[in-house]
Amino acid sequence: MIYNSEIYKSRFFKSRFFDEFLDKIKSKDSILVDDILDPEISFLITFLNLSLKKDILIISTDRRKDLLYKNLSSFNDNLLEFLSWETLPFEEIKPSLDIIGQRFDTLNKLLVSKKNNLLICTPHSLLQKIIPSNVLKDLSLHLKINESHDFDNLIKKLVNLGYKKETLVSDKAQFATRGYIIDVFPTNLDHPYRIEFFSDEIESIRTFDLETQKSVEKKKSVDIFLADELKFLKEEKKPTNISSYLKDDFLVIFDDLYQVEDSLTALNSLKIKNSKYFLSFDSFLEEIKKNKKLYFSEKKIEDISRVTYKENPNTKDKKEISFEVFQKHFDALLFKHPFRTYLDFLSLEKLESILDHIETFIDKNLKVMFLYQNETEKKHILELLDKKISLDKNENIYFEKGFLSSGFIISDQNLSIIPYNEITKRKVIRRQKFREAYHSPVASYHSLEIGDLVVHFHSGIGKYLGCDRLSNHLGVETEFLVLEYANGSKYMFPSLNHT
């Protein structure tokens, strides 16, 4: 028999390890868990997120954060990520509008959230100074239908936030006006918005298409955040860092000590101490002196640090230790986790297919939890299982919607977790959702004259010969722009897809 269950509900966390782990997290200042893999780290973080009901700050690295986010996102609806500028610490260059938008979207969610938050940072985004929360409130617009706003004052506010007035909106951080209509492309959103007024009252809010300039979808509200972070950061007298947006008793988690230390070393090599836009790591450590801390290490702590055991404990799975990292000494309770790999459990050196060993799991009275992301994956798992075992006679097979990058066994629960990608051996990569590149609409090209030199994104410099109407590959008559290149060669492309 197959059960639909909920893997992160209390029934799967009812064990000696999880009870003791939660108790030590609450009672001890610092806990260290070593010799632990990515999905197991995510499993424990999810457990703490559901159990503690407090803000959690995870310090990860650029190399690890995407996989961490993917592993956590299926089971934590309060997960946020704070991106760093892609510029170097000593450069006073405006970062990408997409990154600015995502940064302020995250800050706003932290600001207005009444629930606990699970936040991922890198050393770069953690130490980078930002605008204080009390200032941020005045540097954003939250507009809703039927609200009253002075039209002229709203335009002034957009300019103050760093938005540039254009004839037509063609990219982020731009706005345009026509009568009592404001078109604006917020940095934090994927589509531009059209706000229509009747007198000083917002009558409608819609998204619109950049190419056709036609309204697309009705909306009830729109949030518009700062477009020029660097400008306001320069003017801010008391900048802060991301930790100030969290509730005071937040838990600090170091995703992997070795990787975080390596990332911090690379950041320090850029001389961030000389940058007015960065907090020192020592200052951050002083800030979190009273906060509970959880350190994870994929390697055994003895392999990356000099370790001093403070006492000879009666049990082998909990030890008070002192260790070195970030060129400093730290004290923590070394806590042994209950996770085992398939290879270790099965006493194998290589594993071709996990389903080949499903009967072994069942014979050893293991509960088997399959993770799937959609019904197609679930159906595929069932088809494969049907060839291996009699599903109707097995009461220890469970299904849960979710994702982990790889599976493992929780020994003290007699539970095996098998994600779909463990079966297919397919690597899943999290891809950041960024907008496509936008370009000026066709109307802005009407000023071109025959013979003008223009630059095509892919083909280079050519001479503009005008427009022609031809049938495209679908047989539909379409307007094409015509460019001439060397030796009289011509290049024609649809005017709506120009680059």
Side-chain angles (χ1 to χ4, degrees):
M1 187 177 292
I2 299 169
Y3 293 90
N4 282 307
S5 184
E6 295 184 359
I7 192 170
Y8 291 111
K9 290 290 186 179
S10 59
R11 62 172 294 187
F12 284 100
F13 284 133
K14 288 291 184 183
S15 73
R16 180 185 62 83
F17 167 79
F18 287 108
D19 288 343
E20 289 190 12
F21 184 63
L22 184 60
D23 177 66
K24 296 303 181 185
I25 285 289
K26 291 178 179 179
S27 62
K28 294 290 184 178
D29 292 332
S30 301
I31 303 288
L32 189 149
V33 183
D34 67 350
D35 197 20
I36 186 169
L37 301 177
D38 289 324
E40 299 160 0
I41 290 174
S42 299
F43 193 91
L44 287 182
I45 291 175
T46 297
F47 164 65
L48 293 174
N49 186 39
L50 294 176
S51 303
L52 292 175
K53 301 298 182 183
K54 64 165 61 179
D55 284 352
I56 298 176
L57 172 64
I58 308 170
I59 304 172
S60 187
T61 65
D62 288 319
R63 187 178 300 175
R64 293 174 57 85
K65 67 181 177 67
D66 285 345
L67 184 59
L68 177 66
Y69 189 99
K70 180 69 176 175
N71 278 330
L72 289 170
S73 59
S74 294
F75 307 103
N76 300 276
D77 58 8
N78 63 341
L79 180 62
L80 297 170
E81 178 183 3
F82 191 57
L83 299 177
S84 64
W85 290 3
E86 79 281 25
T87 56
L88 295 173
F90 50 82
E91 292 179 326
E92 292 195 6
I93 300 174
K94 291 182 181 180
S96 157
L97 292 174
D98 295 286
I99 289 178
I100 288 179
Q102 289 197 24
R103 282 167 62 84
F104 280 98
D105 186 56
T106 297
L107 292 177
N108 182 67
K109 287 176 179 175
L110 291 172
L111 198 60
V112 302
S113 175
K114 294 181 180 179
K115 298 180 180 180
N116 59 303
N117 297 286
L118 184 61
L119 178 67
I120 298 175
C121 290
T122 63
H124 196 149
S125 62
L126 172 72
L127 300 179
Q128 191 169 14
K129 292 181 180 179
I130 57 176
I131 298 167
S133 57
N134 63 312
V135 177
L136 180 65
K137 293 178 181 178
D138 299 324
L139 295 178
S140 57
L141 291 169
H142 308 280
L143 307 177
K144 296 181 180 179
I145 291 177
N146 300 326
E147 283 185 343
S148 292
H149 293 270
D150 183 275
F151 188 84
D152 292 331
N153 283 341
L154 189 56
I155 292 174
K156 290 178 181 178
K157 286 182 179 179
L158 285 172
V159 173
N160 186 50
L161 292 179
Y163 286 77
K164 185 179 179 182
K165 187 173 184 180
E166 300 285 355
T167 305
L168 289 174
V169 170
S170 63
D171 206 348
K172 288 193 174 188
Q174 295 179 356
F175 76 97
T177 61
R178 296 190 313 281
Y180 277 84
I181 297 175
I182 297 177
D183 287 349
V184 60
F185 200 155
T187 56
N188 52 298
L189 297 172
D190 296 324
H191 303 284
Y193 277 64
R194 178 162 291 151
I195 307 164
E196 297 186 37
F197 283 77
F198 180 77
S199 185
D200 283 341
E201 184 177 300
I202 296 177
E203 190 174 45
S204 72
I205 299 175
R206 302 168 184 260
T207 60
F208 69 91
D209 184 86
L210 281 179
E211 300 290 0
T212 64
Q213 295 289 303
K214 291 182 179 180
S215 298
V216 177
E217 183 181 358
K218 291 182 179 180
K219 299 288 185 179
K220 294 182 180 180
S221 63
V222 60
D223 294 330
I224 303 172
F225 299 129
L226 197 63
D228 192 347
E229 183 179 0
L230 182 59
K231 172 191 171 185
F232 283 90
L233 193 57
K234 286 180 179 179
E235 297 172 354
E236 179 55 49
K237 295 180 180 180
K238 295 181 178 180
T240 183
N241 74 311
I242 186 63
S243 62
S244 67
Y245 279 74
L246 301 173
K247 299 174 184 66
D248 291 338
D249 62 342
F250 64 91
L251 172 68
V252 183
I253 296 178
F254 290 82
D255 175 29
D256 179 59
L257 285 174
Y258 181 79
Q259 294 280 357
V260 172
E261 182 178 46
D262 190 51
S263 178
L264 189 61
T265 300
L267 190 61
N268 284 330
S269 70
L270 300 176
K271 299 180 180 179
I272 64 168
K273 289 184 179 179
N274 300 330
S275 172
K276 59 184 177 181
Y277 301 122
F278 278 83
L279 181 76
S280 71
F281 188 65
D282 288 348
S283 298
F284 170 72
L285 290 177
E286 186 64 29
E287 281 185 4
I288 62 169
K289 200 171 183 179
K290 296 182 180 180
N291 293 74
K292 304 286 186 182
K293 301 169 193 68
L294 173 59
Y295 305 100
F296 286 117
S297 174
E298 285 200 355
K299 299 181 179 181
K300 290 184 177 181
I301 190 64
E302 293 93 343
D303 294 339
I304 64 171
S305 168
R306 180 184 300 170
V307 177
T308 302
Y309 293 90
K310 293 189 172 183
E311 58 186 58
N312 295 319
N314 295 324
T315 57
K316 64 179 180 179
D317 55 348
K318 294 180 287 295
K319 303 174 184 178
E320 294 282 356
I321 67 168
S322 177
F323 63 96
E324 296 178 12
V325 68
F326 314 128
Q327 297 181 340
K328 295 183 178 299
H329 291 276
F330 293 90
D331 297 327
L333 178 70
L334 181 61
F335 210 87
K336 185 176 177 62
H337 65 76
F339 305 114
R340 298 178 66 185
T341 65
Y342 301 142
L343 292 176
D344 178 45
F345 182 81
L346 296 167
S347 300
L348 296 174
E349 293 184 359
K350 187 177 181 182
L351 187 66
E352 294 293 339
S353 171
I354 187 63
L355 292 185
D356 289 341
H357 303 275
I358 195 71
E359 287 187 280
T360 303
F361 287 166
I362 294 171
D363 290 342
K364 292 188 177 184
N365 203 32
L366 255 67
K367 298 184 291 288
V368 181
M369 170 66 67
F370 288 98
L371 298 183
Y372 65 95
Q373 295 188 85
N374 52 59
E375 290 302 317
T376 301
E377 289 185 358
K378 183 179 179 181
K379 182 180 178 181
H380 188 210
I381 296 172
L382 287 170
E383 290 173 351
L384 295 174
L385 277 177
D386 195 41
K387 298 175 182 178
K388 301 289 183 180
I389 59 174
S390 176
L391 294 173
D392 293 335
K393 296 180 180 180
N394 283 285
E395 297 185 353
N396 284 335
I397 304 294
Y398 298 83
F399 277 79
E400 170 68 17
K401 195 168 186 178
F403 171 88
L404 286 173
S405 54
S406 60
F408 49 84
I409 290 168
I410 308 177
S411 55
D412 74 335
Q413 290 183 342
N414 243 21
L415 172 66
S416 173
I417 297 178
I418 304 177
Y420 179 71
N421 50 292
E422 192 72 69
I423 298 171
T424 61
K425 299 298 182 182
R426 184 186 305 161
K427 288 188 177 181
V428 180
I429 301 173
R430 177 194 171 216
R431 288 179 170 82
Q432 290 276 18
K433 183 182 179 183
F434 286 111
R435 66 197 168 101
E436 295 179 355
Y438 288 109
H439 306 277
S440 301
V442 177
S444 65
Y445 278 82
H446 288 175
S447 60
L448 280 175
E449 296 183 2
I450 305 297
D452 283 349
L453 296 179
V454 297
V455 179
H456 186 273
F457 185 80
H458 296 294
S459 303
I461 300 174
K463 183 187 294 184
Y464 175 63
L465 297 183
C467 296
D468 200 356
R469 297 191 69 83
L470 298 170
S471 294
N472 63 15
H473 64 291
L474 298 175
V476 179
E477 190 174 87
T478 305
E479 184 181 63
F480 287 79
L481 272 66
V482 184
L483 301 181
E484 183 181 38
Y485 288 90
N487 300 320
S489 62
K490 294 180 181 179
Y491 179 63
M492 306 176 72
F493 57 97
S495 59
L496 288 180
N497 294 315
H498 58 278
T499 50

